[in-house]
Amino acid sequence: MSTGSHRMTTSPPGADLPADTVLEVSGVTAGYTPSVPILEEVSLHVGRQELVGIFGPNGAGKSTLLKAVFGLVSVSEGGVRFDGVDITGAPSHELVGRGVGFVPQLDNVFPRLSVRDNLRMGSYLRPKDFGVRWEALAELFPRLVERMRARAGSLSGGERQMLAMARALMPGPRLLCLDEPSAGLSPRAQTEVFALISRINETGTAVLIVEQNARRCLAICDRGYILDQGRNAVTGTGRELLDDPAVVELYLGRLGAGKQADPSPTATVEPRSQSDEPGR
Ligand SMILES: Nc1ncnc2c1ncn2[C@@H]1O[C@H](COP(=O)(O)OP(=O)(O)OP(=O)(O)O)[C@@H](O)[C@H]1O
Ligand SMILES: [Mg+2]
């Protein structure tokens, strides 16, 4: 397990990272106003087939980090590279075209539009590809197939998260960023959403996910980063983080408080080991 963020900030882009790195956040300082940095020298990377989690207390800067990746907050220092290209500060629509998908925690569907029209919005860059793309994705989303004509606003919370993910997948991103997809869902719906995220990853999309539900999420993650007060605090594999008493006491005790109350199957799933990575 490595701690701290400073190791990568002095290295040139891409140095000492795995060859299959798809996303590299390198020493990023970012915030909503120039004089108040929320993130300070934050670094992380995501491999082409990885599922990587970001955890930490409320206000740690997790959502801000996803927004910095997706061009929604300004980065004053450091940079973001996607597939080897510097995308720091690139507008969101350009990032969608490059292969980055983002599902914010709130307001992530158009409630007055039907499920089908929400999905069409997801393929706005290539409207003619809608049929082919949805055909490729529909198997992952049987519930949406049943509800194509329903208004998105009438869906359950879990179905809405599925729709938001499906919409973000329509352009065929190579990286999907998810902000708290299990928030506010019943234990059963959480189980379905985490299983879906695993399947999305297994079908070849790298995933970067922010979660409060740290224990359950770490069970499906290859690796995780814990942020604290806008800085990297701890980094490790899912197993390393779950097995570290200090991490459990400082970060997972409260964040994982739902575990005892939640008897659903994924709570006991063995974390992935890094040896799972090749050939998944
Ligand atoms: N739009 C905004 N304008 C100004 N400050 C903001 C804005 N959004 C968030 N912040 C501030 O940035 C800091 C980090 O917020 P952020 O939402 O990134 O935290 P988080 O780790 O996602 O927290 P949570 O677990 O509660 O979702 C907080 O102090 C918050 O008040
Ligand atoms: Mg947040």
Side-chain angles (χ1 to χ4, degrees):
M1 185 183 301
S2 62
T3 58
S5 63
H6 305 283
R7 185 174 56 85
M8 284 164 52
T9 60
T10 53
S11 308
D16 76 9
L17 289 180
D20 70 345
T21 297
V22 67
L23 177 75
E24 178 192 0
V25 173
S26 178
V28 159
T29 296
Y32 299 90
T33 52
S35 56
V36 186
I38 301 294
L39 302 175
E40 294 189 69
E41 300 182 359
V42 171
S43 297
L44 63 75
H45 65 274
V46 180
R48 200 164 296 284
Q49 300 205 322
E50 275 194 311
L51 202 170
V52 172
I54 303 170
F55 311 98
N58 292 119
K62 305 179 297 293
S63 298
T64 305
L65 179 50
L66 288 192
K67 288 185 217 167
V69 168
F70 205 60
L72 298 173
V73 295
S74 67
V75 173
S76 56
E77 284 177 50
V80 183
R81 294 170 76 83
F82 179 69
D83 257 350
V85 175
D86 185 352
I87 58 162
T88 315
S92 301
H93 64 86
E94 183 188 321
L95 296 178
V96 171
R98 286 187 179 277
V100 184
F102 176 51
V103 179
Q105 183 182 343
L106 300 173
D107 302 326
N108 55 23
V109 298
F110 297 97
R112 291 170 183 230
L113 298 184
S114 67
V115 168
R116 179 182 292 277
D117 286 344
N118 266 272
L119 294 169
R120 282 191 190 284
M121 295 294 280
S123 62
Y124 73 96
L125 288 176
R126 293 192 200 83
K128 286 184 182 158
D129 291 351
F130 171 77
V132 174
R133 281 298 302 152
W134 179 236
E135 204 173 307
L137 285 175
E139 186 208 351
L140 287 171
F141 299 96
R143 203 90 61 77
L144 298 183
V145 172
E146 290 168 14
R147 309 215 55 195
M148 287 297 267
R149 291 175 186 214
R151 278 187 0 157
S154 73
L155 299 179
S156 70
E159 289 168 343
R160 224 174 297 176
Q161 285 296 345
M162 288 177 189
L163 175 57
M165 284 189 243
R167 199 185 74 227
L169 288 170
M170 287 299 282
R174 294 191 296 290
L175 171 71
L176 182 63
C177 301
L178 304 170
D179 195 351
E180 302 217 22
S182 81
L185 302 184
S186 68
R188 178 188 288 262
Q190 288 182 0
T191 299
E192 289 176 3
V193 163
F194 281 124
L196 175 61
I197 292 165
S198 280
R199 284 202 67 199
I200 289 169
N201 177 239
E202 283 159 12
T203 56
T205 308
V207 176
L208 181 61
I209 177 174
V210 165
E211 259 299 332
Q212 283 287 330
N213 212 328
R215 285 182 184 279
R216 295 191 69 190
C217 189
L218 277 167
I220 63 165
C221 281
D222 294 300
R223 292 183 301 110
Y225 292 82
I226 297 179
L227 289 192
D228 199 348
Q229 298 184 50
R231 290 179 171 269
N232 287 96
V234 190
T235 303
T237 64
R239 166 66 77 194
E240 285 171 334
L241 294 175
L242 285 168
D243 286 352
D244 185 320
V247 168
V248 170
E249 181 174 343
L250 283 172
Y251 299 110
L252 302 187
R254 188 173 52 78
L255 293 174
K259 189 194 173 199
Q260 280 99 355
D262 179 4
S264 49
T266 58
T268 56
V269 168
E270 284 296 301
R272 286 179 177 180
S273 66
Q274 284 188 314
S275 61
D276 288 336
E277 286 172 28
R280 263 203 340 267

